[in-house]
């Protein structure tokens, strides 16, 4: 039986379309038994064709290799050199770790993660860009973030000791007269999609759901301590009290050394904060507050550069809390790796010092901290 033009077109569409076996069986049955309904079948096929989302052809294999250094950094938020160093670290730490799911080059997994953390693109669009399924993309993001947090973060974010600790103290003394400073501490809010349980706990003072990232950095903006996972309604002092740092501080911060924070934190011998301003501060107290405020700006700048480079941290839309926490910590890890490789900063796109604190404006300290602060003030 000779086929007319309409019927030939139908057969061609069937062969070209990516249909399931069930759809193919149904269409074949319709074709053989109801030739007069070919027009309806054509309309069905045309509608199905219009619903297919085109993928970005050969983006990983052909487009990315053609990027120059500037284009690569614009897309992936770090330089080619830093990416190569990072890839080498991942290879060194994952030789015994099996890759999950579909076998994909570790380099491709890394680039997918860097695109994810550096941009605000949807998962569907990212999957199309890298020609993978959404499931494969999710698995790759979780795999790389887990490797960064469990294998690489301990190598690049650690509390300073010995010569390194003194070097950090010297770095602060070059820009501040507040002697003995070895770090600046603060908290910042990472906006998230509100969890289904305990919703109210995640809303901060600005009325959006978030997690608090508490961090300490040195004078070169490197993170030396990071902690996250507490709901946005938690005050910075409350977050600090949940950290191993708070428990271990008397043992890991030598006498005569301290970190500096704002009025949200408790005053201790190892943690300096400004004098409470009731409108009657002495000239020396005002001077101390100014010096401390100027010195602690490094942590606000670190947060600004972190969110400016890794824009996913401005707002995370994941729902898996482990993925959220590991994404935040991965960003901190990448931040330090970029600094270690002299990877230039991006302009700060996230406003510095814009995180309101939850809870009381002033937190009580102890007498030992009061005495140390008085001594430091007198030495200015």
């Amino acid at each position: 039986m000779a086929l007319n033009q309409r019927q030939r077109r139908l057969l061609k569409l069937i062969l070209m379309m990516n249909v399931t076996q069930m759809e193919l069986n149904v269409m074949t049955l319709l074709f053989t038994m109801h030739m007069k309904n070919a027009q309806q079948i054509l309309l069905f096929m045309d509608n199905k064709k219009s619903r297919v989302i085109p993928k970005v052809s050969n983006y990983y294999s052909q487009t990315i290799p053609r990027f120059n250094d500037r284009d690569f950094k614009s897309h992936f938020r770090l330089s080619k050199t830093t990416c190569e160093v990072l890839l080498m670290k991942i290879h060194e730490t994952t030789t015994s770790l099996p890759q999950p799911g579909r076998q994909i080059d570790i380099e491709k997994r890394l680039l997918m993660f860097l695109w994810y953390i550096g941009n605000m693109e949807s998962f569907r669009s990212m999957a199309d860009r890298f020609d993978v399924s959404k499931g494969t993309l999710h698995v790759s993001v979780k795999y790389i973030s887990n490797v960064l947090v469990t294998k690489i973060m301990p190598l690049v974010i650690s509390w300073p000791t010995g010569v390194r600790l003194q070097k950090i103290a010297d770095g602060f003394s070059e820009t501040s007269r507040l002697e003995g400073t070895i770090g600046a501490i603060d908290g910042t809010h990472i906006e998230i999609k509100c969890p289904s349980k305990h919703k109210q706990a995640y809303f901060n003072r600005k009325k959006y759901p978030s997690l608090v990232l508490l961090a300490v950095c040195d004078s070169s903006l490197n993170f030396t301590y990071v902690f996250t996972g507490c709901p946005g309604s938690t005050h910075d002092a409350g977050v600090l009290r949940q950290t191993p740092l708070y428990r271990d501080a008397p043992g890991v911060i030598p006498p005569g050394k301290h970190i500096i924070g704002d009025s949200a934190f408790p005053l201790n011998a190892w943690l300096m904060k400004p004098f409470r301003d009731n409108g009657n501060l002495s000239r020396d107290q005002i001077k101390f507050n100014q010096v401390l405020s100027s010195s602690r700006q490094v942590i606000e700048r670190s947060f600004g550069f972190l969110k400016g480079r890794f824009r996913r941290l401005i707002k995370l839309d994941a729902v898996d809390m482990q993925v959220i926490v590991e994404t935040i910590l991965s960003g901190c890890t990448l931040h330090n790796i970029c600094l270690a490789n002299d990877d230039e900063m991006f302009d700060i796109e996230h406003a510095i010092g814009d995180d309101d604190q939850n809870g009381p404006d002033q937190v009580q300290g102890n007498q030992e901290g009061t005495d140390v602060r008085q001594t430091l003030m007198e030495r200015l």
Side-chain angles (χ1 to χ4, degrees):
M1 179 180 62
L3 300 178
N4 60 34
Q5 184 177 1
R6 179 182 296 171
Q7 294 162 350
R8 286 196 298 270
R9 180 171 171 234
L10 174 61
L11 284 176
K12 184 177 180 181
L13 277 173
I14 291 175
L15 293 174
M16 290 177 60
M17 293 302 298
N18 182 22
V19 298
T20 65
Q21 185 62 47
M22 180 177 292
E23 290 172 330
L24 183 59
N25 292 339
V26 171
M27 287 185 290
T28 303
L29 181 63
L30 288 172
F31 185 83
T32 56
M33 298 181 62
H34 304 283
M35 295 295 291
K36 63 180 180 179
N37 293 326
Q39 183 64 43
Q40 285 87 338
I41 301 174
L42 283 172
L43 288 173
F44 167 78
M45 295 297 294
D46 285 338
N47 288 336
K48 179 174 176 62
K49 184 176 181 180
S50 67
R51 294 196 303 269
V52 175
I53 301 174
K55 294 183 182 295
V56 180
S57 300
N58 303 316
Y59 182 75
Y60 169 69
S61 60
Q62 296 183 17
T63 304
I64 295 177
R66 291 200 299 266
F67 284 159
N68 57 32
D69 289 340
R70 181 177 179 179
D71 290 337
F72 185 91
K73 186 169 182 176
S74 175
H75 284 78
F76 294 99
R77 315 305 285 174
L78 41 73
S79 68
K80 282 187 175 181
T81 301
T82 303
C83 187
E84 291 169 359
V85 170
L86 180 58
L87 183 61
M88 186 179 301
K89 287 180 178 291
I90 292 176
H91 275 302
E92 291 173 353
T93 57
T94 59
T95 53
S96 60
L97 290 179
Q99 288 196 43
R102 175 182 166 192
Q103 290 300 308
I104 298 177
D105 290 344
I106 194 69
E107 180 181 8
K108 185 173 183 178
R109 290 191 190 274
L110 174 59
L111 290 176
M112 287 192 290
F113 177 80
L114 292 177
W115 188 277
Y116 159 75
I117 198 172
N119 298 278
M120 301 297 289
E121 192 172 16
S122 69
F123 260 80
R124 179 184 295 277
S125 181
M126 285 187 288
D128 292 338
R129 178 180 298 277
F130 287 93
D131 194 19
V132 297
S133 68
K134 286 176 62 178
T136 298
L137 178 62
H138 274 284
V139 168
S140 295
V141 166
K142 291 181 67 174
Y143 176 74
I144 294 296
S145 63
N146 182 260
V147 169
L148 287 172
V149 172
T150 61
K151 301 295 183 180
I152 299 179
M153 189 175 77
L155 305 176
V156 299
I157 302 179
S158 60
W159 191 255
T161 57
V163 175
R164 179 168 163 244
L165 184 143
Q166 187 57 49
K167 185 177 179 180
I168 291 175
D170 294 341
F172 274 103
S173 66
E174 292 177 3
T175 58
S176 170
R177 288 173 293 169
L178 202 62
E179 61 183 55
T181 301
I182 60 170
I185 187 171
D186 202 1
T188 188
H189 290 273
I190 308 294
E191 185 173 356
I192 63 172
K193 186 175 181 179
C194 189
S196 58
K197 296 182 179 179
H198 311 295
K199 294 182 179 181
Q200 199 58 39
Y202 288 90
F203 282 86
N204 56 42
R205 275 181 134 177
K206 287 193 173 181
K207 307 302 181 184
Y208 64 84
S210 65
L211 289 187
V212 180
L213 167 62
L214 187 78
V216 180
C217 78
D218 62 21
S219 59
S220 299
L221 310 184
N222 288 282
F223 293 120
T224 55
Y225 188 84
V226 290
F227 180 88
T228 193
C230 290
S233 64
T234 313
H235 187 239
D236 280 356
V239 177
L240 175 62
R241 290 191 179 96
Q242 297 184 44
T243 67
L245 174 63
Y246 186 79
R247 181 191 65 232
D248 301 335
V252 299
I253 300 180
K257 298 291 191 294
H258 55 261
I259 59 179
I260 54 178
D262 60 21
S263 59
F265 294 98
L267 179 65
N268 288 284
W270 53 270
L271 175 52
M272 292 292 102
K273 60 183 284 186
F275 288 94
R276 182 175 183 177
D277 189 357
N278 293 320
N280 58 354
L281 293 180
S282 68
R283 181 178 301 178
D284 288 342
Q285 289 173 330
I286 293 174
K287 184 178 180 180
F288 177 89
N289 285 0
Q290 291 173 341
V291 171
L292 187 146
S293 177
S294 176
S295 300
R296 63 170 296 277
Q297 284 184 5
V298 289
I299 185 62
E300 295 176 348
R301 293 180 63 211
S302 291
F303 287 147
F305 284 125
L306 174 71
K307 295 180 181 180
R309 187 188 290 266
F310 304 114
R311 292 173 292 193
R312 181 74 59 172
L313 299 185
I314 297 174
K315 183 176 182 179
L316 276 163
D317 57 358
V319 294
D320 186 327
M321 193 56 66
Q322 181 180 352
V323 171
I324 294 173
V325 169
E326 290 190 345
T327 298
I328 296 171
L329 296 179
S330 295
C332 297
T333 301
L334 293 174
H335 171 88
N336 275 20
I337 291 174
C338 288
L339 290 177
N341 288 276
D342 297 320
D343 199 333
E344 291 183 358
M345 295 285 191
F346 282 84
D347 292 337
I348 297 180
E349 303 171 14
H350 185 78
I352 290 180
D354 67 341
D355 288 322
D356 289 340
Q357 299 301 324
N358 300 298
D361 293 331
Q362 299 293 330
V363 179
Q364 296 298 319
N366 57 33
Q367 187 59 47
E368 186 179 9
T370 301
D371 294 340
V372 171
R373 183 172 63 178
Q374 183 69 23
T375 301
L376 290 172
M377 181 193 70
E378 294 171 353
R379 291 175 180 175
L380 288 178

